[in-house]
Amino acid sequence: MPEQISLKPGPALHQQIAVYEEFGRCLPGFHPMAPPQRKETIMHSRQSEAIINSPDLVFLLTQCTQEVEALLHIAIQSPYSPLVTCLKHLLETLNKAQLVRNQQVIFVLIREALEGLFKALTFQMESDILIRFRDVYLYVLRSLQECKALGVNFVALHVTLALLEQRPDHRYYLPIIDLLSRLHMIDMREIDTFVAKDIERMDNQAILFGTHAVKHFLLSKQRDNLYNEGDLNKTLQALNRFAYSTHPPPELLVNILEAIKMNMSQPSNNAGIQHGGPDPMLQSSGLPSQQDMYPPPNNLPPHVLSELDQVSSGLMVPQLHPSADLMAPHPVLSRIQTHVPSPHGLEDPPGLSEKVELLLSEWVRSYHHPMMVKDMDQIYIVFVNKLQQQGIMKNDDLITRFFRISVEMCVGLCYKSMTEPENQRLARAKCYHTMDAFVKLVAVLMRFTGEPTNIQPKVNVLQKVIYTVAQVLLQDHQTRGSDFHQLPYQRFFIMLLTELNARDPVFELMSLHVLSIYSQVYHELRPAKAPGFAYAWLELISHRIFIEKVLIQTPQPKGWLYLQQLLVDLFTFLAPFLRNADLERPLQILYKGTLRVLLVLLHDFPEFLCDHHFVFCNVIPPNCIQMRNLILSAFPRNLGLPDPFTPDLKFEELPEIAQSPKILGEFLTIIPKEFKSELDSFLQTDSVDKIFPVKLRELLQTSATHPDTYNIPLLNALILYIGQSGISSLQTFSTPISPSSVQASVHFSLLKTVVSDVDTKGRYLLLNAITNQLRYPNSDTHYFSIVLLALFLRAQSEMVQEQITRVLLERLIVYRPHPWGLLVTFIELIKGEEYNFWEYRFVHCAPEIKRLFESVARSCIQQKQAHQQTTREELE
């Protein structure tokens, strides 16, 4: 072994580690699997990077920029110059975040929004402009919190980190922490750890804050508790140690700690606290009522005592402007939003939940009643009238709340039945019992909304309920984590689609709208957003009714584009794991399910895979050979595919090679316009330009510091464009596509130069891009087959020939199917005398490699002999 990496006693040297790090960066699957405890972190990191680079976040940042600019225009003449300056800094960061999309800029944006909120709260007076200043900072944080943006957990973690970096009087300002807690922008576990450490250091502000916090969040009667004792466990322990390490112990603190202990030992008493009734814990512990002051402890410093004296039972939180539009969801933002509490309008009207529960229970009984089949329409009309009488149909807000509460109740019943110690079949039946009735209710409301021929009100109802279910799903997924159940949501989407697919004149008019809404919602619920819903999601997008609507009933290309986007979502989610061969059991199941979906499409809808192969190959990692073969093996059903093992098969004699394949995906938009103009000029001239191939290579590299990283979609687009331009050039002069005409063209010269000049990884990706076009018989397959064989024949280095062989061979040693053009090209390579394939050293470099080549060649020869035997028997 070389001296640099030879084995020596002692720890590994830096040079040795660098070699293996380089292997891990360049070779797929070289890195070992991440240990189980890091798996979630790695997956979250990959998803965070994908979300930060997504167009959804850019769109939301643009909306925030518009709101900040509008407020800045109004406030530029206001007397609050520090706030205007702070707002300008926020605007600069928003503009930067839209251009430089990385986590560091997002962190700075969160920090500046939080600091601006604190500055706005320093002004004690109340005015409309001050309220709008406060609201705009909250609006920015709420926008980042959207499920389309960064999500609740991500924003909560980094708002907390930014909060803990503030100076102590801001860090321990309980009203703002209470406000951020109600907006789900605080990770209380992080604050709990931080406060406990400060209490251990006898920090007076931390002691004061900890006392206020546990009293407010754990013993408040006037609001539902946001946190329980576990969320503030470390603070409670630190306060307990502090209380009993001083003599005499602080009376207020001791009373609070005793009340919390009683609360934990008597959980049934929580009802009195949370619903505004009398507080037996406070009364039994001797604590004053909420209207009285707590007696201050005697052993704290004077300024802490004076602060503590001012604490009343109800903390006053800054009130936001009731009519401020900045706190309301923006009308242009995504209709699907994570269900995050907002300061206004979140709480349901008193008694609404009970009313919905009664109505839903009554409907479930009616739905499963034996008389339902006989008097169906009459029961529908009576129940819809009852909803109107109860005021549920009064306005959009109440209808939305009705749907949300109903979905939450159905899902809750499903969770309850799934956790009961019964068999799974019975648990599923209980879940279906309520969910199926709710789905029927949605269909009834759609049918009886508006006139029978006016479909827009019915579409609005469908949108409202679909987006509400998606909203509940995302929140449920985020809250429950690994305890999340897919079953109720999967059942809802399938059963509602089945209802809407019934032979009903009303629903038939809505067919295109139903498909559009379902496709958009499936896109929003993609595995990258809700990994715990991935199995059900894959089943939903491959359901027979949905596939039929998308690929058969909907006119092309609109319906096909819906399914294309959903498959791209699936491939994009799998790509990081497939690229590193990092497939644990759950991902293996999802991968196998993906292959089965592709097999169904290959068998029943091959034209779909033919037309969209370019888009799919852009997102499938290079090492996913079998998945790519499934897509590239598709051919139109009206095409009689010639047998690739036919003796002396003449490619140029096939009539199909005159036809150009249909490729959807707008691959030309990937190529920069300025470079495309330069490329066209280069291809139209015969002059030798040695600089342009260098420009092409630099364009394909995504980083100057890492020249071995390439823009694969751009590379695939350029290869396809150069090939189609070469075909068009030959057809313009009525020149047939042949080895001599192709090798004499400037297009081939450019490809040959680039293949020779790039590094090993770049050459592998370029050859893969060429091989991706070796599909069914057409002009592109014919042209690129000639190009690949000519590159092998005229290669100046055996390394290039070895890589060409590798690209072809690795696609043939996997399970069938194999693309027709790939088989024809490889058979021509191993049997063509001019290529001298069996004479090269890489064929004989090792016994196992030689046996592999012989096995593949023998397989091709056996298939050819079998074809000849079949033909001979047919003639006899």
Side-chain angles (χ1 to χ4, degrees):
M1 297 179 69
E3 180 68 19
Q4 292 85 348
I5 59 174
S6 61
L7 296 175
K8 298 177 183 177
L13 301 176
H14 175 72
Q15 295 89 340
Q16 294 172 319
I17 294 175
V19 170
Y20 287 97
E21 286 179 349
E22 180 67 18
F23 285 170
R25 191 162 55 86
C26 298
L27 300 180
F30 185 85
H31 274 311
M33 283 184 161
Q37 63 270 23
R38 296 182 57 202
K39 182 65 62 182
E40 184 177 350
T41 304
I42 293 172
M43 190 170 175
H44 175 74
S45 175
R46 289 171 180 163
Q47 292 170 6
S48 296
E49 292 176 4
I51 292 173
I52 286 177
N53 289 309
S54 72
D56 294 335
L57 179 60
V58 178
F59 176 76
L60 291 173
L61 291 174
T62 304
Q63 298 300 319
C64 291
T65 303
Q66 294 175 359
E67 296 291 349
V68 173
E69 287 176 344
L71 178 57
L72 195 59
H73 179 73
I74 298 172
I76 199 69
Q77 302 297 331
S78 71
Y80 309 109
S81 57
L83 296 183
V84 174
T85 303
C86 193
L87 204 60
K88 289 180 179 178
H89 291 161
L90 181 67
L91 182 59
E92 291 176 2
T93 307
L94 280 168
N95 290 327
K96 184 178 180 181
Q98 295 175 56
L99 300 174
V100 184
R101 283 177 271 173
N102 59 49
Q103 293 192 16
Q104 189 60 37
V105 178
I106 297 298
F107 299 160
V108 173
L109 178 61
I110 291 174
R111 188 181 302 113
E112 288 193 357
L114 187 64
E115 291 174 353
L117 182 60
F118 275 115
K119 286 184 182 293
L121 291 171
T122 57
F123 291 85
Q124 299 300 321
M125 64 192 74
E126 289 291 333
S127 67
D128 288 344
I129 191 67
L130 268 178
I131 292 172
R132 293 201 65 180
F133 269 119
R134 299 171 188 172
D135 290 352
V136 77
Y137 292 114
L138 287 174
Y139 175 70
V140 171
L141 294 174
R142 287 285 304 282
S143 297
L144 295 176
Q145 206 180 28
E146 295 286 346
C147 63
K148 287 183 66 174
L150 302 175
V152 176
N153 292 341
F154 185 96
V155 172
L157 175 61
H158 293 96
V159 167
T160 304
L161 296 177
L163 177 67
L164 296 179
E165 293 175 0
Q166 303 295 315
R167 66 178 194 251
D169 59 328
H170 283 182
R171 181 195 311 151
Y172 292 138
Y173 185 46
L174 187 53
I176 194 65
I177 291 181
D178 177 75
L179 174 63
L180 294 175
S181 295
R182 287 191 283 118
L183 297 176
H184 291 250
M185 293 183 185
I186 287 291
D187 187 343
M188 187 53 76
R189 298 297 179 98
E190 293 288 335
I191 292 181
D192 179 43
T193 302
F194 192 91
V195 172
K197 291 180 180 178
D198 276 2
I199 293 175
E200 297 290 349
R201 292 195 295 266
M202 302 299 291
D203 183 282
N204 292 330
Q205 287 183 312
I207 295 170
L208 179 65
F209 170 80
T211 305
H212 292 181
V214 297
K215 171 181 175 289
H216 176 64
F217 289 121
L218 302 182
L219 298 177
S220 172
K221 293 193 303 183
Q222 298 175 349
R223 50 180 291 114
D224 290 342
N225 291 339
L226 290 171
Y227 305 110
N228 56 33
E229 291 80 2
D231 296 316
L232 294 166
N233 181 53
K234 295 180 180 178
T235 299
L236 287 170
Q237 292 180 8
L239 287 173
N240 190 67
R241 286 191 292 269
F242 166 77
Y244 293 101
S245 64
T246 56
H247 301 284
E251 183 180 355
L252 166 65
L253 193 53
V254 171
N255 288 340
I256 291 176
L257 294 174
E258 288 299 323
I260 292 173
K261 287 181 182 178
M262 293 183 64
N263 188 9
M264 295 172 66
S265 62
Q266 299 178 11
S268 61
N269 289 337
N270 284 345
I273 296 177
Q274 294 185 5
H275 298 289
D279 191 341
M281 289 180 297
L282 294 179
Q283 294 170 0
S284 62
S285 62
L287 288 175
S289 65
Q290 289 285 352
Q291 287 72 29
D292 298 328
M293 296 290 186
Y294 278 100
N298 298 319
N299 59 341
L300 290 178
H303 71 279
V304 178
L305 289 174
S306 63
E307 291 264 350
L308 197 55
D309 281 338
Q310 299 172 12
V311 178
S312 63
S313 59
L315 285 169
M316 299 304 296
V317 180
Q319 295 298 313
L320 299 175
H321 198 288
S323 61
D325 293 336
L326 291 174
M327 283 303 299
H330 198 279
V332 189
L333 296 181
S334 169
R335 300 168 216 164
I336 303 175
Q337 303 179 9
T338 305
H339 183 59
V340 181
S342 59
H344 306 294
L346 172 71
E347 294 78 10
D348 293 321
L352 180 62
S353 295
E354 292 77 4
K355 185 185 297 184
V356 172
E357 183 177 4
L358 290 174
L359 289 170
L360 187 60
S361 300
E362 180 181 346
W363 170 255
V364 172
R365 288 193 299 271
S366 300
Y367 176 75
H368 292 287
H369 195 276
M371 296 298 294
M372 180 70 172
V373 178
K374 297 181 179 179
D375 302 327
M376 210 162 28
D377 290 341
Q378 185 62 31
I379 293 175
Y380 293 164
I381 295 172
V382 169
F383 191 80
V384 171
N385 289 335
K386 183 170 293 187
L387 290 178
Q388 293 174 343
Q389 293 170 3
Q390 294 291 331
I392 299 297
M393 312 291 287
K394 186 184 299 183
N395 53 50
D396 285 349
D397 180 64
L398 282 175
I399 295 173
T400 303
R401 291 176 187 274
F402 172 76
F403 286 143
R404 175 180 57 78
I405 296 171
S406 299
V407 172
E408 290 173 349
M409 288 179 177
C410 292
V411 172
L413 288 172
C414 182
Y415 274 103
K416 183 179 178 180
S417 63
M418 296 295 285
T419 54
E420 291 176 354
E422 300 175 354
N423 61 64
Q424 288 295 312
R425 181 176 299 178
L426 183 58
R428 286 174 178 266
K430 288 184 177 180
C431 179
Y432 298 162
H433 182 82
T434 307
M435 185 59 76
D436 291 357
F438 174 67
V439 168
K440 189 65 177 181
L441 176 59
V442 172
V444 168
L445 291 175
M446 289 174 58
R447 181 181 289 110
F448 288 94
T449 299
E451 298 296 327
T453 56
N454 185 8
I455 65 171
Q456 192 55 50
K458 307 176 192 302
V459 172
N460 293 339
V461 172
L462 177 63
Q463 282 183 326
K464 197 177 296 295
V465 69
I466 287 281
Y467 294 145
T468 301
V469 173
Q471 170 184 320
V472 173
L473 187 156
L474 290 172
Q475 176 64 17
D476 188 22
H477 180 274
Q478 204 162 37
T479 303
R480 295 183 184 269
S482 59
D483 295 328
F484 173 78
H485 271 305
Q486 310 171 78
L487 178 63
Y489 305 103
Q490 178 192 26
R491 182 70 174 184
F492 170 82
F493 285 114
I494 288 180
M495 293 306 295
L496 183 58
L497 185 62
T498 304
E499 286 284 343
L500 299 177
N501 195 54
R503 292 187 177 180
D504 189 311
V506 175
F507 292 153
E508 287 176 358
L509 295 173
M510 298 173 54
S511 180
L512 292 180
H513 297 280
V514 170
L515 177 62
S516 174
I517 294 171
Y518 260 80
S519 300
Q520 292 171 14
V521 169
Y522 287 168
H523 174 61
E524 292 296 338
L525 299 177
R526 58 192 180 272
K529 290 284 188 70
F533 190 61
Y535 293 156
W537 184 88
L538 180 59
E539 183 176 344
L540 290 174
I541 69 167
S542 59
H543 194 272
R544 56 181 179 80
I545 297 178
F546 183 74
I547 290 289
E548 180 183 3
K549 279 185 172 293
V550 169
L551 298 181
I552 298 178
Q553 297 180 7
T554 307
Q556 298 184 36
K558 187 174 182 179
W560 288 29
L561 289 176
Y562 288 141
L563 187 58
Q564 174 207 297
Q565 178 61 63
L566 296 175
L567 288 178
V568 168
D569 292 337
L570 178 60
F571 298 149
T572 303
F573 174 74
L574 287 171
F577 307 102
L578 295 173
R579 189 177 294 112
N580 293 309
D582 188 8
L583 291 180
E584 292 189 351
R585 179 63 177 168
L587 287 166
Q588 290 178 13
I589 296 173
L590 187 63
Y591 175 70
K592 290 179 180 178
T594 303
L595 294 183
R596 290 180 179 179
V597 172
L598 291 177
L599 278 171
V600 170
L601 294 174
L602 177 64
H603 183 270
D604 295 340
F605 307 99
E607 292 85 0
F608 171 76
L609 295 179
C610 291
D611 294 356
H612 297 278
H613 83 282
F614 176 81
V615 177
F616 296 149
C617 288
N618 281 343
V619 294
I620 296 176
N623 58 326
C624 296
I625 308 299
Q626 189 174 23
M627 184 181 290
R628 189 182 296 105
N629 273 0
L630 280 172
I631 295 171
L632 300 179
S633 297
F635 62 93
R637 283 171 289 185
N638 59 0
L639 177 68
L641 196 65
D643 191 335
F645 305 106
T646 302
D648 302 322
L649 177 66
K650 300 297 182 182
F651 214 144
E652 60 276 5
E653 295 179 0
L654 297 176
E656 293 85 1
I657 66 170
Q659 301 175 1
S660 298
K662 183 180 180 181
I663 299 177
L664 300 179
E666 299 296 333
F667 65 91
L668 291 179
T669 58
I670 301 176
I671 306 173
K673 291 183 179 180
E674 295 181 0
F675 184 82
K676 182 176 177 296
S677 301
E678 292 186 47
L679 177 60
D680 291 336
S681 300
F682 177 84
L683 296 176
Q684 291 170 4
T685 60
D686 295 331
S687 60
V688 179
D689 184 355
K690 296 183 179 180
I691 299 178
F692 185 78
V694 177
K695 289 183 180 179
L696 176 59
R697 186 178 70 245
E698 293 176 350
L699 178 68
L700 296 175
Q701 296 169 345
T702 58
S703 172
T705 57
H706 295 89
D708 61 341
T709 57
Y710 291 87
N711 186 336
I712 295 180
L714 177 59
L715 186 151
N716 291 337
L718 282 170
I719 292 297
L720 182 58
Y721 179 71
I722 292 172
Q724 291 191 346
S725 177
I727 296 171
S728 177
S729 177
L730 294 174
Q731 291 175 346
T732 301
F733 297 99
S734 300
T735 305
I737 300 176
S738 65
S740 58
S741 62
V742 169
Q743 294 180 46
S745 66
V746 65
H747 304 78
F748 176 78
S749 299
L750 176 60
L751 291 174
K752 180 176 176 294
T753 303
V754 175
V755 167
S756 301
D757 291 348
V758 295
D759 60 10
T760 304
K761 182 177 180 181
R763 187 182 303 115
Y764 174 75
L765 295 174
L766 280 166
L767 295 174
N768 258 310
I770 294 173
T771 310
N772 286 345
Q773 306 309 318
L774 301 181
R775 303 187 293 145
Y776 63 91
N778 57 61
S779 58
D780 285 9
T781 300
H782 186 204
Y783 180 86
F784 283 106
S785 177
I786 293 174
V787 165
L788 200 61
L789 293 172
L791 288 173
F792 185 95
L793 185 64
R794 300 182 58 178
Q796 299 175 354
S797 168
E798 188 172 330
M799 182 183 297
V800 176
Q801 296 166 324
E802 183 177 352
Q803 276 199 289
I804 293 174
T805 305
R806 173 200 169 182
V807 169
L808 294 173
L809 187 66
E810 69 184 6
R811 299 190 182 210
L812 289 170
I813 61 177
V814 299
Y815 290 114
R816 292 180 292 177
H818 301 124
W820 182 89
L822 177 72
L823 286 168
V824 170
T825 303
F826 185 75
I827 292 172
E828 178 64 23
L829 177 63
I830 62 176
K831 77 173 185 178
E833 296 180 358
E834 66 271 28
Y835 303 111
N836 295 321
F837 178 79
W838 298 102
E839 304 299 325
Y840 290 102
R841 289 181 298 172
F842 62 81
V843 177
H844 308 279
C845 64
E848 57 269 26
I849 297 296
K850 183 178 180 180
R851 286 196 296 270
L852 177 63
F853 280 113
E854 290 175 348
S855 174
V856 175
R858 192 181 308 113
S859 175
C860 294
I861 293 171
Q862 286 175 354
Q863 293 185 56
K864 183 192 302 182
Q865 290 175 347
H867 171 79
Q868 292 174 345
Q869 180 67 24
T870 303
T871 305
R872 191 179 301 112
E873 290 175 357
E874 290 176 353
L875 291 174
E876 292 176 355

